[in-house]
Amino acid sequence: MRVGMLTAALPDERLEDLARWAQTAGLQALQVAAWPAGSTEPGAADHLDPARCDPGAAERVRSLFGRHGLALSGLAYNDNPLHPDPARREAVHRHLETCIDAAADLGGAPVSMFVGRNPSVDVAADLADAETVLTPLVERAGERGVDLMVENCPKQDWHPDAYPGNLAYSPQLWEWAFDLGLWLNFDPSHLPPLGIDPVAALRPYVHRVRHVEAKDVETFPDIRDRYGYLGPVEGAGDPGEPWWRYRAAGLGEIDWRRVIDVLHEGGYDGVISIEHEDPVWSDAPGQVRAGIELSHRVLRPLLVAEG
């Protein structure tokens, strides 16, 4: 296993500069944010434009990574393929297709996505719709030699009542996704706020994990005991008062020693990609880089190089 980072934490920096800094920081891989250019979605970044990733551009990216001793652990584009607006949904699907094609040209890196949700219909209808609209994407990825994987982020901000807006948030839904031919981009930080033990949830599914994202989570039980797991209701207190927040690895409650042990026992030998969203270490790019280095110092000693 190797430690890398998701580039979205530093959206205003060039991929070339991120690669140089990653090498200096001792990171071994980059998971590259590949949203459409100029996207204003929270957490979006466009360090690689898949629509312009022709063979020449792909060769330049491969050369860049080679010069800095980095692996490309994947492309990330997490938008809503089940968006209720047909035009927006179509745009998301077209961009996912370009991500798949670019990943193939870059050597077969996996592509991370969300299942999404249309909150105007019930979950059963959404899942049936997803089977119809995601299957062509899975088939396209298979034809290009690319693994399409879903991240288990619940995306409650995509639902008007703060219910999960991404139908890949639980082991039950992972199994549904696996039946479609999708893989898992596993992020343990999303599970404690749902009442799920990340180590117990991970153990049966390591063979379907294609990529791991590393961020921690800190919880505040006194706030949870007032609002419940779903958080505050609009009009009944401060709706912005969360009972948990993301942290750098080691500053929250994830037992990284056990997570990595379960991954190792299950045969995972891929990248642990730091996804930095810690509000305490995000006031400026320098703080973000320091937060990433904090996570790296926690994770790297847990990985034993095999001869």
Side-chain angles (χ1 to χ4, degrees), residues 216 247-252 254 256 295 298:
D216 219 321
R247 299 304 311 272
L251 297 181
I254 302 297
W256 293 102
S295 291
V298 168

Side-chain angles (χ1 to χ4, degrees), residues 82-228:
L82 300 180
H83 199 284
D85 178 357
R88 176 67 180 275
R89 180 188 290 209
E90 176 70 13
V92 171
H93 283 243
R94 297 292 78 78
H95 194 73
L96 280 168
E97 290 175 353
T98 65
C99 286
I100 291 167
D101 293 343
D105 292 339
L106 289 164
V111 173
S112 180
M113 59 173 284
F114 288 159
V115 170
R117 185 169 181 187
N118 178 355
S120 67
V121 302
D122 62 29
V123 171
D126 254 342
L127 291 175
D129 189 20
E131 291 179 9
T132 299
V133 301
L134 297 185
T135 296
L137 291 169
V138 173
E139 291 174 348
R140 185 188 191 101
E143 291 167 358
R144 298 302 311 272
V146 170
D147 290 333
L148 196 57
M149 54 189 185
V150 291
E151 187 194 335
N152 56 291
C153 175
K155 285 301 292 181
Q156 285 140 311
D157 56 320
W158 280 357
H159 194 287
D161 293 320
Y163 297 137
N166 172 34
L167 295 176
Y169 60 86
S170 70
Q172 178 189 19
L173 290 164
W174 303 347
E175 293 174 356
W176 166 85
F178 299 154
D179 286 343
L180 288 185
L182 293 161
W183 297 78
L184 181 62
N185 182 14
F186 178 70
D187 184 338
S189 71
H190 298 303
L191 295 172
L194 297 171
I196 299 173
D197 177 350
V199 174
L202 169 64
R203 191 179 299 278
Y205 304 108
V206 177
H207 64 292
R208 294 297 301 184
V209 173
R210 185 64 174 83
H211 193 265
V212 175
E213 289 186 351
K215 69 178 179 291
D216 219 321
V217 63
E218 179 182 17
T219 63
F220 307 101
D222 55 329
I223 301 177
R224 181 201 61 210
D225 289 344
R226 171 170 170 76
Y227 297 115

